[in-house]
């Protein structure tokens, strides 16, 4: 019997000037989610249940961009997506275009377990949700003041923002922020960009890996826009060898099929997990910026990112635990 | 090393007893689309243009499951999806849940080139289509009597099909006896091409599974599953979407070439072998002009050609005629 390991993330690409209290808030939430996952693992819950549990927690908390607290579309609404994958047999489920489902990751799980398909979207997904009796709420439930503010800024700047703006001290506008920092994510100054997507990867004592990812997507995105998070092989992947969840520039992640890549180099090149993560981040992103968390069936955990920072936490059965931003 | 092209009209348990009135139009369609692709390559069109052009032809052809002739959802409607990818830049575009767009593959290309996004679905994709002024039609345009019959059969059997059962009345029982799970599977169209400079591209388009749940998305619009292209090869896959998604089939062909040093043909065979029998097929070309067409189903409607004069149209193992 092997050892368990777990990692969580709240998004990659962090403003170096992010106020300390926001960093602490994020770390507290990540720690809390890790604790939930660790308890579940100690109770012998299988990896697939643990990732769902943890991502539900991240969706429910409005701090990160998923579920409640999701970034808004150009119409001011929320459209959420998620995917989940179970390493053994590589079963998977994904959803997109959700507007009333309280926990998208759980609907993705139901697609995997209770439907003949792997991926459901928009009104079809919402109908399925009703039939399955999952908790549904009004779209307003997901919308937070922070995100309403960010959408306004994005429209003024007439560009896509990855996420919501971290409210900074003072009254600097997007323009001023642009001049302050040369760092960019997805064409935006890092001080305006904030990371999006949440995810969790787990390997349990039986060596089973699982992964799940959930997001509201890009602020000011076109309605109907689908990102990497619900795409198996891009934002999420799990197989016998590993479980991976990615975050960052959606286009870069899709073009490089980033999550699958980690598994592929392990499988076809024989790299171990840390080597695979390192290889993929260094060689597969080209000019794109992204990060990922991963676990292997051997109880290893690794994360990598070529962005400035990624909200993340990880823990292993031997007592190791770490939460970080940089 | 010259240009090469391969296209497909879907893999599945296409019975050898397929009656002429179903086989001949498809053969003709494959030949026609191959000719269109060859002419474009000879005219030095970029592979991205070539695959879009060929897939548009396949979509317009009512005998294949894409565009006009798409299979129907459980509600009797059509929901089309497609994706396209350029090997050199790895830029890609995808669309899902379209109901009025005549050529899904072209809308996918516009998503790639005219938006900051990769993938649009549903109302947003339809709205984008109107903004771009692409050709749209009433949803009824896409529906064919064949597909209405298929849906009825699937619903009677209370089953989701990869494609269609032979709607051949008196031979239905015979056909069912020879086909493993009673289904004949033809779903998806696609095209891959490489020019003499090694530029690669791939595109895939489909109406999906007969009797699918509304909103169900398959592998065709998923980069890495149904479509993939990089500097090594271009791949378009077909089969049971759910199996292609979990197997990241299109992506794996290139990965296996790169990491295991296999040739295109070996890589394609290796990957298809990993998918449960009866579920998958693909066409692929490499940067050096090789062609691979592999399937673990009874057959796959396909055609391919290369600059050295080779050309082939086939359904089952051996080329036709």
């Amino acid at each position: 019997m092997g050892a368990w390991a777990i990692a969580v993330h709240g998004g990659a690409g962090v403003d170096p000037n992010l106020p300390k209290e926001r960093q602490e808030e994020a770390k507290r939430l990540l720690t809390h989610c890790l604790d939930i996952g660790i308890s579940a693992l100690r109770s012998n819950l299988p990896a697939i249940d643990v990732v769902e549990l943890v991502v539900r927690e991240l969706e429910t908390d409005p701090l990160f961009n998923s579920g409640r607290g999701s970034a808004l579309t150009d119409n001011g609404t929320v459209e959420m997506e998620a995917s989940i994958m179970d390493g053994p047999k590589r079963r998977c489920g994904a959803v997109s275009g959700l507007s009333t489902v309280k926990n998208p990751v759980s609907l993705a799980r139901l697609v995997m377990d209770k439907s003949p398909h792997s991926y459901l979207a928009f009104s079809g997904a919402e109908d399925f949700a009703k039939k399955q009796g999952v908790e549904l709420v009004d779209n307003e439930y997901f919308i937070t003041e922070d995100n309403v503010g960010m959408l306004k800024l994005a429209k003024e700047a007439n560009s896509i923002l990855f996420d919501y703006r971290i409210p900074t001290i003072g009254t600097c506008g997007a323009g001023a922020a642009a001049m302050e920092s040369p760092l960019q994510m997805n064409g935006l100054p890092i001080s305006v960009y904030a990371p999006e997507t949440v995810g969790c990867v787990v390997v349990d004592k039986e060596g089973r890996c699982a992964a799940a990812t959930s997001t509201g997507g890009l602020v000011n995105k076109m309605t109907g826009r689908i990102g990497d998070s619900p795409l198996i092989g891009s934002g999420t992947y799990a197989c016998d060898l590993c479980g991976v969840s990615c975050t960052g520039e959606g286009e870069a992640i899709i073009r490089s099929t980033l999550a699958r890549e980690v598994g592929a180099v392990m499988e076809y090149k024989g790299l171990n997990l840390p080597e695979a993560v390192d290889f993929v981040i260094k060689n597969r992103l080209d000019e794109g910026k992204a990060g990922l968390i991963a676990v292997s069936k051997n109880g290893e955990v690794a994360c990598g990112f070529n962005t400035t920072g990624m909200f993340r936490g990880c823990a292993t059965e031997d007592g190791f635990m770490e939460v970080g931003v940089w | 090393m010259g240009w090469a092209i391969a296209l497909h009209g879907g893999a599945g348990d296409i019975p050898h007893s397929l009656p002429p009135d179903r086989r001949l139009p498809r053969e003709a369609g494959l030949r026609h689309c191959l000719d269109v692709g060859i002419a474009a390559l000879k005219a030095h069109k970029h592979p991205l243009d070539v695959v879009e052009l060929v897939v548009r032809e396949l979509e317009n052809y009512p005998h294949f499951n894409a565009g006009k002739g798409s299979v129907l959802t459980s509600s009797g409607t059509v929901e089309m999806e497609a994706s396209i990818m350029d090997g050199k830049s790895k830029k890609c575009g995808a669309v899902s849940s379209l109901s009025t767009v005549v050529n899904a593959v072209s809308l996918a290309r516009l998503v790639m080139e005219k938006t900051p996004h990769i993938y649009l679905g549903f109302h947003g994709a339809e709205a984008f289509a109107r903004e771009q002024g692409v050709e749209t039609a009433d949803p009824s345009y896409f529906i064919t009597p064949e597909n209405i019959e298929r849906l009825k059969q699937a619903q009677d059997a209370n089953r989701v099909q990869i494609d269609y059962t032979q709607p051949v009345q008196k031979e239905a029982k015979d056909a069912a006896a020879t086909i493993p799970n009673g289904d004949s599977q033809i779903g998806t169209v696609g095209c891959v091409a490489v020019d003499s400079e090694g530029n690669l591209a791939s595109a895939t388009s489909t109406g999906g599974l007969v009797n699918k749940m509304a909103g169900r998305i398959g592998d065709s619009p998923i980069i890495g599953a149904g479509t993939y292209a990089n500097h090594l090869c271009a791949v378009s896959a077909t089969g049971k979407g759910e199996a292609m998604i979990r197997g990241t089939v299109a992506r794996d062909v290139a990965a296996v070439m790169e990491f295991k040093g296999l040739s295109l043909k070996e890589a394609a065979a290796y990957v298809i072998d990993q998918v449960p029998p009866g579920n998958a097929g693909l066409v692929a070309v490499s940067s050096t002009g090789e062609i691979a067409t592999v399937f673990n189903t009874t057959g796959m409607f396909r055609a391919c050609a290369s600059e050295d004069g080779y050309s082939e149209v086939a359904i089952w193992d051996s080329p036709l005629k």
Side-chain angles (χ1 to χ4, degrees), chain B residues 3 5 7 32-42 50 53-54:
Chain B
W3 55 256
I5 179 172
L7 58 103
H32 167 73
C33 294
L34 185 67
D35 288 341
V36 166
I38 290 171
L41 282 162
K42 283 182 170 161
V50 176
L53 198 59
V54 171

Side-chain angles (χ1 to χ4, degrees), chain B residues 64-190:
Chain B
F64 296 118
N65 176 11
K68 190 175 167 115
S70 283
V71 299
L72 307 183
T73 70
S74 57
S75 318
T77 56
V78 161
E79 283 181 12
M80 301 168 286
E81 49 199 22
S83 61
I84 187 167
M85 189 162 186
D86 174 60
K88 190 156 269 176
S89 64
K90 303 220 301 251
K91 283 173 74 77
C92 35
V95 286
S96 276
S97 311
L98 300 178
S99 52
T100 70
V101 176
V102 172
N103 292 103
V105 69
S106 294
L107 193 67
R109 178 131 187 219
L110 287 168
V111 172
M112 177 174 96
E113 292 175 343
K114 298 281 170 70
T115 76
H117 303 320
I118 279 192
Y119 190 2
L120 286 182
F122 215 54
H123 294 312
E126 291 274 336
F128 176 65
R130 275 153 187 80
E131 261 171 56
Q132 292 293 313
V134 302
E135 196 182 349
T136 55
D138 189 81
S140 58
Y141 160 84
F142 303 94
I143 300 176
T144 60
E146 225 180 45
N147 282 303
I148 293 174
E149 181 56 34
R150 282 194 189 113
L151 178 64
K152 186 171 181 301
Q153 287 183 352
Q155 286 176 333
D156 288 345
N158 196 26
R159 201 176 53 231
V160 170
Q161 305 184 10
I162 303 257
D163 240 322
Y164 63 90
T165 323
Q166 302 308 319
V168 176
Q169 299 80 344
K170 58 177 160 58
E171 288 158 56
K173 289 202 175 59
D174 296 332
T178 57
I179 302 160
N181 55 6
D183 287 340
S184 165
Q185 303 173 4
I186 300 180
T188 308
V189 302

Side-chain angles (χ1 to χ4, degrees), chain B residues 1 17 24 62 69 79 101 104 107 116 131 139 144 165 197 215 220 240 249 295 310:
Chain B
M1 178 186 100
S17 55
L24 294 173
E79 283 181 12
V101 176
L107 193 67
E131 261 171 56
T144 60
T165 323
E197 267 130 63
S220 301
K240 183 144 196 288
V249 168
F295 47 97
Y310 174 76

